[in-house]
Amino acid sequence: SRHILDMSYSRHFLDFQGSSIPSSMKKLVVTKLSQNFREAVALEQDSPVPLPGDGDLLVRNRFVGINASDINYSAGRYDASVKPPFDIGFEGVGDVVALGLSASADYTVGQAVAYVKAGSFAEYTVVPAKQAVPLPSVKPEFLTLMVSGATAYISLKELGELSEGKKVLVTAAAGGTGQFAVQLAKKAKCHVIGTCSSNEKGGFLKTIGCDHTINYKTENVEAVLRKDYPEGVDVVYESVGGKMFDLALNCLATKGRLIVIGFIAGYQNPTGLPPIKAELLPAKLLKKSASIRGFFLNHYLSEYKKALKHLLEMHERGDLVCEVDFGDMSPEGKFIGLESVFRAVDYMYMGKNIGKIVVELPHSVNSKL
């Protein structure tokens, strides 16, 4: 049975410039489970453009976000029951080009929206209207807030117990989500320490308010922390894993809190988890009355809309830097088109990015937005 679509005016089925939506499109599909993204994922050239159902929007993607966990998804680590082939990509920003009858109560053709939903690595994605976020315009900066910004905001608010004067360590601080952890901790009047892999990244972190940057390629992070923060740090926002996790655990202050939002060091391993020296973990936590909390955005979706609204308002007021990295400095240049998603993922795992990695999807029809 076909979905009921609003046939009352035909422009619902046309992009807002008046040219027809094509019948086929390009998209990325996971064809075999592997943590090697290039092995797991294939570019399909002639995939049918999906039809929106009654409560859906058809979004023409203009910018899509790269996440460290794209590799976890292609490896099948999130849902063991899902078998290839399946669509990939978590978030996008674009224009509504068609919509169902119920969805037309709140949205119109030509509207700018952002969304978080599997299947964004495609020229067109069907998005339930309830999951879409209306935007004032199509800007890549909005994409930085959808997963990366929301992760930092909700985890620090719910688990961080930030207050004035607390010492907060952010690992991979110049990355997509680290940039927000730094800024939000500063807004809570904390003293912020950020680890990064280059002096250029350290310079960026200073511009967004980081009090103390540590280049782990040229400095011994543990020695620096022991010398400059003998009492330890109160909160760690940790996304690296492996040795960095051990180091973060050891530098916790009494009643310190370690928030685990990822372990990127292990995502490319077949087993996923990098080894940590956890044998003494109970003793270490007990000795300091410390705690470790895991954070996975999907478990906090009840807080998501409120968090995103706040982040969007902060950005609109100019209170939040949303750094986007289009790969202009990468060997083959800017990430344009779905073909460049593979390069963008490699770029992330080489640790080159400053801010959120975004891929632009050009369209032959020039947008009015």
Side-chain angles (χ1 to χ4, degrees), residues 295-313:
F295 178 87
F296 187 46
L297 187 59
N298 289 11
H299 298 148
Y300 287 84
L301 293 180
S302 58
E303 306 295 315
Y304 183 77
K305 280 267 162 107
K306 198 164 73 175
L308 197 61
K309 184 171 181 284
H310 195 183
L311 287 166
L312 285 165
E313 286 168 358

Side-chain angles (χ1 to χ4, degrees), residues 201-216:
K201 290 184 179 188
F204 164 69
L205 288 173
K206 289 274 169 58
T207 69
I208 60 171
C210 196
D211 297 291
H212 188 165
T213 63
I214 307 173
N215 181 344
Y216 65 80

Side-chain angles (χ1 to χ4, degrees), residues 257-318:
R257 294 172 295 286
L258 197 165
I259 304 171
V260 177
I261 65 126
F263 41 92
I264 190 171
Y267 293 172
Q268 288 182 309
N269 297 345
T271 55
L273 280 164
I276 56 168
K277 295 173 183 165
E279 302 93 339
L280 301 172
L281 186 61
K284 284 180 178 179
L285 295 178
L286 179 65
K287 187 178 166 189
K288 296 176 174 178
S289 293
S291 63
I292 299 174
R293 302 287 300 270
F295 178 87
F296 187 46
L297 187 59
N298 289 11
H299 298 148
Y300 287 84
L301 293 180
S302 58
E303 306 295 315
Y304 183 77
K305 280 267 162 107
K306 198 164 73 175
L308 197 61
K309 184 171 181 284
H310 195 183
L311 287 166
L312 285 165
E313 286 168 358
M314 287 170 75
H315 173 62
E316 289 294 286
R317 286 198 307 267

Side-chain angles (χ1 to χ4, degrees), residues 128-149:
K130 285 179 183 164
Q131 290 178 26
V133 178
L135 298 175
S137 61
V138 175
K139 281 201 313 192
E141 285 78 11
F142 292 126
L143 202 51
T144 67
L145 302 174
M146 301 301 293
V147 172
S148 302

Side-chain angles (χ1 to χ4, degrees), residues 44-368:
E44 279 191 8
Q45 296 282 354
D46 292 309
S47 186
V49 172
L51 264 180
D54 177 55
D56 296 333
L57 312 173
L58 180 64
V59 177
R60 180 171 60 191
N61 294 314
R62 301 261 297 283
F63 300 102
V64 294
I66 304 295
N67 291 282
S69 44
D70 288 327
I71 278 184
N72 287 336
Y73 201 61
S74 72
R77 288 178 183 143
Y78 286 156
D79 186 351
S81 67
V82 177
K83 299 286 180 270
F86 55 87
D87 297 348
I88 192 165
F90 292 128
E91 54 187 343
V93 166
D95 319 301
V96 175
V97 292
L99 67 172
L101 179 56
S102 299
S104 66
D106 298 307
Y107 289 91
T108 59
V109 167
Q111 192 159 353
V113 293
Y115 64 89
V116 175
K117 178 183 178 285
S120 71
F121 292 164
E123 290 178 316
Y124 294 85
T125 303
V126 166
V127 179
K130 285 179 183 164
Q131 290 178 26
V133 178
L135 298 175
S137 61
V138 175
K139 281 201 313 192
E141 285 78 11
F142 292 126
L143 202 51
T144 67
L145 302 174
M146 301 301 293
V147 172
S148 302
T151 294
Y153 183 93
I154 300 170
S155 65
L156 289 174
K157 182 169 175 281
E158 298 290 320
L159 311 178
E161 297 172 40
L162 301 184
S163 59
E164 187 170 352
K166 294 284 190 205
K167 294 184 276 294
V168 179
L169 171 65
V170 181
T171 64
T177 189
Q179 66 172 327
F180 294 109
V182 168
Q183 293 178 79
L184 294 168
K186 276 308 290 181
K187 288 187 189 309
K189 299 184 176 170
C190 297
H191 175 90
V192 184
I193 310 132
T195 69
C196 60
S197 60
S198 71
N199 292 337
E200 187 191 1
K201 290 184 179 188
F204 164 69
L205 288 173
K206 289 274 169 58
T207 69
I208 60 171
C210 196
D211 297 291
H212 188 165
T213 63
I214 307 173
N215 181 344
Y216 65 80
K217 292 277 178 80
T218 59
E219 298 175 83
N220 181 321
V221 180
E222 196 152 19
V224 172
L225 289 171
R226 207 178 297 120
K227 174 177 163 288
D228 293 346
Y229 305 95
E231 300 291 306
V233 298
D234 302 295
V235 179
V236 183
Y237 185 85
E238 215 298 273
S239 61
V240 178
K243 288 176 183 169
M244 190 61 85
F245 174 89
D246 288 325
L247 189 154
L249 179 65
N250 291 337
C251 79
L252 282 177
T254 302
K255 296 185 183 176
R257 294 172 295 286
L258 197 165
I259 304 171
V260 177
I261 65 126
F263 41 92
I264 190 171
Y267 293 172
Q268 288 182 309
N269 297 345
T271 55
L273 280 164
I276 56 168
K277 295 173 183 165
E279 302 93 339
L280 301 172
L281 186 61
K284 284 180 178 179
L285 295 178
L286 179 65
K287 187 178 166 189
K288 296 176 174 178
S289 293
S291 63
I292 299 174
R293 302 287 300 270
F295 178 87
F296 187 46
L297 187 59
N298 289 11
H299 298 148
Y300 287 84
L301 293 180
S302 58
E303 306 295 315
Y304 183 77
K305 280 267 162 107
K306 198 164 73 175
L308 197 61
K309 184 171 181 284
H310 195 183
L311 287 166
L312 285 165
E313 286 168 358
M314 287 170 75
H315 173 62
E316 289 294 286
R317 286 198 307 267
D319 287 347
L320 202 60
V321 173
C322 300
E323 189 69 19
V324 172
D325 191 333
F326 277 120
D328 295 290
M329 307 308 289
S330 67
E332 293 170 60
K334 191 174 174 179
F335 303 132
I336 297 181
L338 287 171
E339 301 81 358
S340 67
V341 168
F342 299 96
R343 280 200 301 120
V345 170
D346 289 344
Y347 182 73
M348 167 172 280
Y349 279 90
M350 287 188 286
K352 299 293 188 189
N353 59 300
I354 295 181
K356 173 87 179 180
I357 301 176
V358 173
V359 174
E360 183 177 354
L361 303 187
H363 289 279
S364 51
V365 178
N366 290 326
S367 170
K368 289 177 185 169

